[in-house]
Amino acid sequence: MSGTLSCREPVYPSWQDAVELLPHAGIHGLEANQRPREELAEVVAGAQEHGVEVLTLATHVNLDAEESVAGYVAALDAAGSLGIPIVFTSASGSERELDDYMSDLRDLADEAQERGAVIALETHRPFCPNADRMLATMDAIGHPNVGINFDTGNIYYYNRDLASADELERVVEHVVSLHLKDTEGDYESFDFPVLGRGVVEWDRIFGTLDAAGFDGPLTLELEGPVVHGKDRDQRHGAVVECVQFLRSIGVG
């Protein structure tokens, strides 16, 4: 299986905990949260000291708010200057028709291209909650510097009667990064267990990725009861369990 195992920073209590412990689990990638450039540079350097590379920068943009858009461009600046190739993006907007936002996203893709970065739109409402909407969004933007961050758990969270393995097959050509997240499969349930304990069809997920030649970040995302209220060692234990599962199916 191609692709680099990574982990979201908020899985751990702090980024320092993450970069210290992740290599012990066999993970050498990190998805860092957006922060001022000077602080982000500290995260990048600290991660490198532990043999961890910041592969993605996690941020949000509200397309209805000029201040949010300006902050997002600053995040693109930081990613470009620090060599972070992918900007994971939860994009929102509710004051206009969906299609009206496509030109905004295309403009941001131009900004990303100038900085040598790629935007990965998260599996979130309103632009990318399922394959139908992802395909419509990708077609409307039509830009090489914007793609999909496919979240294996969010397909179930935002939709009824859809399966992530089916949806991935339809959009894999647009996928530039993944969030690896399992789920019990219930609509709008925030219970995301350790990988392998939910309904996600992992063999099909990775089979689709292999067939497409995917080589982007495979980012572990643990949310909800599995990490909420847990200390760093308990959280790290859950990460280790996830990696053990992935290795049992030939990933990592």
Side-chain angles (χ1 to χ4, degrees):
M1 175 68 212
S2 299
T4 302
L5 284 183
S6 185
C7 184
R8 292 205 72 203
E9 176 188 334
V11 170
Y12 288 86
S14 70
W15 71 263
Q16 291 92 341
D17 291 323
V19 300
E20 176 188 343
L21 293 174
L22 283 174
H24 297 290
I27 296 178
H28 297 277
L30 180 71
E31 181 170 280
N33 285 347
Q34 180 184 359
R35 45 176 52 83
R37 188 200 176 284
E38 295 76 13
E39 296 177 21
L40 184 60
E42 181 182 355
V43 176
V44 171
Q48 290 174 341
E49 290 177 4
H50 289 275
V52 175
E53 182 181 1
V54 177
L55 299 176
T56 49
L57 176 64
T59 187
H60 169 261
V61 59
N62 178 358
L63 297 172
D64 292 323
E66 290 184 8
E67 182 178 351
S68 180
V69 173
Y72 183 78
V73 173
L76 292 175
D77 279 335
S81 65
L82 294 170
I84 303 173
I86 297 174
V87 180
F88 159 85
T89 305
S90 175
S92 65
S94 61
E95 297 178 4
R96 293 174 278 161
E97 296 294 326
L98 283 181
D99 290 345
D100 291 342
Y101 293 103
M102 297 301 103
S103 62
D104 298 341
L105 290 169
R106 194 178 306 111
D107 289 343
L108 291 177
D110 285 339
E111 299 280 0
Q113 188 174 46
E114 290 178 7
R115 294 157 176 81
V118 174
I119 294 170
L121 292 177
E122 169 64 323
T123 309
H124 278 176
R125 298 176 183 135
F127 306 118
C128 295
N130 52 49
D132 282 345
R133 191 62 238 174
M134 290 176 188
L135 291 171
T137 295
M138 291 298 100
D139 183 63
I141 298 172
H143 198 292
N145 285 70
V146 63
I148 298 295
N149 179 83
F150 190 90
D151 188 305
T152 56
N154 281 2
I155 292 295
Y156 298 89
Y157 183 89
Y158 288 112
N159 304 276
R160 301 181 192 274
D161 302 320
L162 292 181
S164 56
D166 294 334
E167 298 295 280
L168 179 61
E169 288 178 357
R170 298 179 58 199
V171 302
V172 66
E173 65 181 298
H174 299 289
V175 173
V176 295
S177 60
L178 263 84
H179 276 176
L180 304 181
K181 186 162 68 183
D182 217 332
T183 171
E184 299 292 343
D186 296 328
Y187 179 67
E188 293 190 342
S189 169
F190 210 69
D191 188 358
F192 301 110
V194 165
L195 300 191
R197 297 186 185 176
V199 301
V200 174
E201 299 170 273
W202 294 107
D203 287 343
R204 286 186 61 200
I205 292 290
F206 289 113
T208 297
L209 295 173
D210 278 343
F214 176 83
D215 62 356
L218 300 166
T219 303
L220 180 63
E221 181 173 38
L222 294 173
E223 297 183 293
V226 72
V227 293
H228 182 71
K230 305 295 177 64
D231 63 27
R232 78 170 211 156
D233 291 335
Q234 291 171 313
R235 293 174 181 222
H236 182 62
V239 170
V240 170
E241 286 188 58
C242 289
V243 173
Q244 290 173 340
F245 169 74
L246 290 171
R247 287 176 174 164
S248 76
I249 60 172
V251 180

